[in-house]
Amino acid sequence: MTYSAELQGTTHKLAVKGMGSPVPVQIDGKTYEVDFSAVDGSLLSLLVMGRSYEADVVEEADGVLTVWVQGETYRIEYQEEGRRPRRGAGVAGHGASGRQVITAPMPGKVVAVLVSPEQEVSAGQGVIVIEAMKMENELKACRPGIIKEIKAQEGTAVSGGDVLVIIE
């Protein structure tokens, strides 16, 4: 299957060349051998070209993933090649806009809310910090917008997939 995926404002072409594990995955023309297994819930153990990673992958909405790997958080919008773009999905270079729903990628505790309702935020600006697996992770807006709702408060526990902040 072939996909296009937008990551941090750049669109990449991905081709998954089979089923099961290991599987060859081609990203922008370069092929990687990927071996993976589910660990628990959304947590995956990956072996990419002999290098080991743990990744937590949470689907925010149809075609939108939040991925935590090596202490970094990535928001990926994807679609299968040849299909029409999803309604509301951002397309690089075409005025990406629409509602952003920031969700907890895994269970944790909210340690800081960095924004307030009706505050304007820019792309890449931190909006909330959660502690999970003994690491603090700042979740960021992927594009400019206005904070419409904050659903979590400092000190509260959250589950993976819980909606934390809504930006429009």
Side-chain angles (χ1 to χ4, degrees):
M1 299 202 113
T2 304
Y3 300 90
S4 63
E6 183 181 332
L7 173 64
Q8 298 175 329
T10 303
T11 301
H12 301 277
K13 299 287 185 194
L14 287 88
V16 180
K17 305 283 187 171
M19 300 293 278
S21 186
V23 63
V25 176
Q26 192 175 63
I27 303 172
D28 296 333
K30 185 172 180 181
T31 302
Y32 301 87
E33 192 73 22
V34 179
D35 195 0
F36 63 92
S37 62
V39 176
D40 183 31
S42 60
L43 191 61
L44 298 175
S45 175
L46 302 170
L47 191 60
V48 181
M49 304 298 286
R51 191 162 175 205
S52 180
Y53 300 91
E54 269 194 359
D56 193 33
V57 181
V58 174
E59 189 164 8
E60 287 183 31
D62 189 29
V64 180
L65 302 173
T66 297
V67 179
W68 284 19
V69 63
Q70 293 187 309
E72 296 288 326
T73 304
Y74 302 94
R75 185 172 188 276
I76 303 169
E77 295 186 19
Y78 69 94
Q79 72 179 45
E80 190 173 342
E81 286 289 302
R83 291 204 173 183
R84 295 179 65 178
R86 291 175 175 86
R87 229 175 60 172
V91 179
H94 292 86
S97 64
R99 174 178 263 207
Q100 299 174 64
V101 179
I102 309 296
T103 60
M106 65 180 65
K109 177 182 168 186
V110 176
V111 294
V113 176
L114 307 174
V115 293
S116 56
E118 300 304 317
Q119 178 180 337
E120 193 170 321
V121 294
S122 57
Q125 181 176 339
V127 295
I128 196 164
V129 179
I130 68 169
E131 181 182 286
M133 297 174 56
K134 299 182 182 177
M135 292 189 302
E136 287 191 2
N137 296 280
E138 184 177 83
L139 304 180
K140 301 176 181 182
C142 67
R143 59 185 171 269
I146 296 174
I147 302 297
K148 286 299 175 191
E149 192 172 355
I150 299 171
K151 293 186 164 272
Q153 297 177 358
E154 289 183 19
T156 60
V158 294
S159 298
D162 283 357
V163 175
L164 305 174
V165 178
I166 297 173
I167 305 169
E168 291 187 344

